[in-house]
Amino acid sequence: MKVNFGGFVPLSTVDWRGRAVCTVFLRGCPVRCDYCHNRSIQDGEDFRSIEEVISLIHTSRLLVSGVVFSGGEPTLQKAPLLALASACRKMGLAIGVQTNGVFPATLEALLERRLVDRIALDLKTRWERYDNLLKRKFVDKVQRSLLICRQAYEKGELPEFEVVITLFRGCEDEAQYIAREANGVDLVLQQGVLGTIAPLTLAEMKRVGDQLGRRVKIRTREEGEVEYEGDRSRWIARER
């Protein structure tokens, strides 16, 4: 079996907070986000054998406790991803997947086979704007992925699940709409970087968090990841 390979980071301390992991990037993604930090692997071909990629992961085995599959969109390559995840499980590694959710069947297969311990699901905008933003009809698939992950998380079949919102200056109001879909699961506000638009600062992102009335994680290039509770009086106000 071959996999369209995008890259390998043998040791990362930022892709899974609390774990040292290696990160495997799988090439190809049907979603063309302008702000993607891995645009060079949105398409193209670099097919490698599954065994070669497993061998790369094995070289990190003594340094890491987990592996993260990212992209591109890793769930695009269902069979290779399942094979890689199965091999990682046999090595005793925890398995994380970063996904945009447009291939729910792959997530479902990973969960059914207990081959994933953490899913980070990127929600890009409110549902009514989704297909227009992505220029393809993906909203039903992403909603399906959100449902699958939420149900698995609530049943205890998925130990870690987070919804990720990438925030850009001028689009801060999107957070309140997307956050409604993330009740009961971890919510991440991630600093978006696009061209000459100044990224939101940590202080500005905290102000966005204050409007949500819940605990959030905030990720910026400058500060890394911080957990933020904000003003709890706002939590109470929103609950009334």
Side-chain angles (χ1 to χ4, degrees):
M1 184 184 297
K2 298 284 187 179
V3 59
N4 198 359
F5 179 70
F8 179 70
V9 175
L11 177 62
S12 170
T13 57
V14 299
D15 286 325
W16 191 334
R17 190 177 187 187
R19 283 186 184 274
V21 300
C22 59
T23 304
V24 179
F25 297 90
L26 301 188
R27 186 179 295 271
C29 179
V31 177
R32 294 292 193 269
C33 296
D34 292 334
Y35 58 85
C36 178
H37 63 282
N38 285 330
R39 294 185 69 177
S40 63
I41 61 170
Q42 284 181 339
D43 50 27
E45 294 183 351
D46 182 8
F47 284 97
R48 310 285 185 92
S49 71
I50 290 290
E51 289 75 17
E52 179 181 347
V53 179
I54 292 171
S55 179
L56 285 173
I57 297 169
H58 200 269
T59 62
S60 293
R61 180 65 191 91
L62 294 179
L63 302 174
V64 304
S65 62
V67 57
V68 171
F69 292 98
S70 186
E73 174 48 47
T75 62
L76 169 65
Q77 301 184 66
K78 181 180 178 181
L81 178 59
L82 290 171
L84 289 169
S86 179
C88 291
R89 190 62 97 209
K90 290 175 182 175
M91 292 184 212
L93 294 171
I95 299 160
V97 173
Q98 298 173 347
T99 179
N100 57 31
V102 301
F103 296 100
T106 304
L107 294 174
E108 202 160 27
L110 285 166
L111 289 163
E112 286 176 354
R113 302 177 195 192
R114 301 296 180 95
L115 291 177
V116 62
D117 302 290
R118 178 179 185 272
I119 293 176
L121 175 63
D122 185 13
L123 296 187
K124 300 180 182 301
T125 186
R126 65 186 81 176
W127 297 132
E128 56 268 33
R129 293 181 176 175
Y130 228 91
D131 289 344
N132 186 51
L133 177 68
L134 272 55
K135 298 180 176 57
R136 292 180 63 177
K137 294 187 179 301
F138 281 131
V139 66
D140 291 346
K141 296 182 183 299
V142 179
Q143 288 175 328
R144 174 66 181 160
S145 290
L146 176 61
L147 178 63
I148 291 168
C149 293
R150 179 188 291 281
Q151 289 178 338
Y153 178 71
E154 291 174 350
K155 292 177 182 176
E157 297 169 355
L158 176 62
E160 298 182 38
F161 174 46
E162 66 182 23
V163 168
V164 181
I165 306 172
T166 303
L167 283 178
F168 297 91
R169 188 174 301 282
C171 300
E172 296 93 328
D173 65 325
E174 286 291 305
Q176 61 181 309
Y177 296 98
I178 302 172
R180 294 172 186 167
E181 308 299 332
N183 285 334
V185 304
D186 287 346
L187 179 65
V188 179
L189 303 181
Q190 181 167 271
Q191 182 189 52
V193 178
L194 177 61
T196 58
I197 300 172
L200 293 167
T201 65
L202 177 60
E204 290 171 325
M205 296 182 73
K206 284 182 176 179
R207 285 198 285 275
V208 175
D210 283 336
Q211 300 302 316
L212 303 181
R214 57 165 294 172
R215 182 182 295 106
V216 297
K217 299 176 183 175
I218 298 177
R219 290 181 189 148
T220 64
R221 288 188 173 184
E222 297 79 15
E223 306 292 338
E225 181 177 300
V226 298
E227 296 200 9
Y228 182 65
E229 291 192 354
D231 184 353
R232 279 183 168 268
S233 65
R234 291 175 178 269
W235 295 26
I236 296 170
R238 290 178 65 88
E239 289 168 357
R240 287 174 179 164

